[in-house]
Amino acid sequence: MAYTKLIYHIVLRTRQGTAPIIEIHERDLYMYIFGYCRNHQCVLYRIGGMPDHIHLLVSLHPTIAVASFVHDLKIATNNFIKACRNYFPNFVSWEQGYCALSCSETDKERVIQYIINQKEHHRKNTVREELIALLKECGVEYDERFI
């Protein structure tokens, strides 16, 4: 028997930083993602974001690699959004890349609060500044050309 708890803070950006996730319809997208996670034996602790990106705090099932989860989630949400074109008329696709940072159980509540406060947080910081700060905080090397 394997005992695991794999928690990730995942950030997905829309293609070229466009802002197609309209606030009055973001809950529809978030509920779809919640169902997707549940159907894949993952636990979604929190989701939130802005019109140009979303944050997820999710515990993945031990048989699911983070890269596979993000890849499949992007495909599924892309299809959902295109099926709801009237809710997200300016959505083109997700960026090819993503950010996935591991999270300990002790940091879980802090990350949940961070995600809850996205709209307040982005009154001061751009998504680019946010991603760079997250990567630096976690000691992740990055290439600024791809942020």
Side-chain angles (χ1 to χ4, degrees), residues 19-74:
I21 303 170
I22 300 167
E23 189 170 356
I24 61 172
H25 298 298
E26 69 185 8
R27 183 169 169 74
D28 298 298
L29 175 59
Y30 296 169
M31 291 304 295
Y32 177 82
I33 292 171
F34 173 78
Y36 179 89
C37 290
R38 186 182 61 231
N39 291 338
H40 289 83
Q41 298 177 294
C42 300
V43 178
L44 182 63
Y45 295 108
R46 192 68 196 188
I47 187 169
M50 297 296 291
D52 61 348
H53 71 283
I54 61 171
H55 291 254
L56 294 84
L57 185 64
V58 62
S59 179
L60 299 184
H61 188 273
T63 61
I64 301 175
V66 67
S68 297
F69 174 81
V70 171
H71 176 266
D72 295 347
L73 177 67
K74 283 181 181 180

Side-chain angles (χ1 to χ4, degrees), residues 95-137:
E95 280 289 351
Q96 183 176 3
Y98 62 93
C99 178
L101 306 167
S102 59
C103 176
S104 69
E105 181 68 29
T106 56
D107 282 335
K108 189 170 75 173
E109 190 56 40
R110 180 182 62 83
V111 176
I112 288 170
Q113 290 304 312
Y114 180 82
I115 293 171
I116 288 171
N117 293 316
Q118 275 295 290
K119 291 184 180 18
E120 181 64 31
H121 176 72
H122 281 289
R123 290 183 187 177
K124 301 173 192 157
N125 299 307
T126 66
V127 66
R128 179 181 172 74
E129 292 166 335
E130 174 186 40
L131 285 173
I132 289 172
L134 285 172
L135 293 170
K136 284 183 178 179
E137 178 183 333

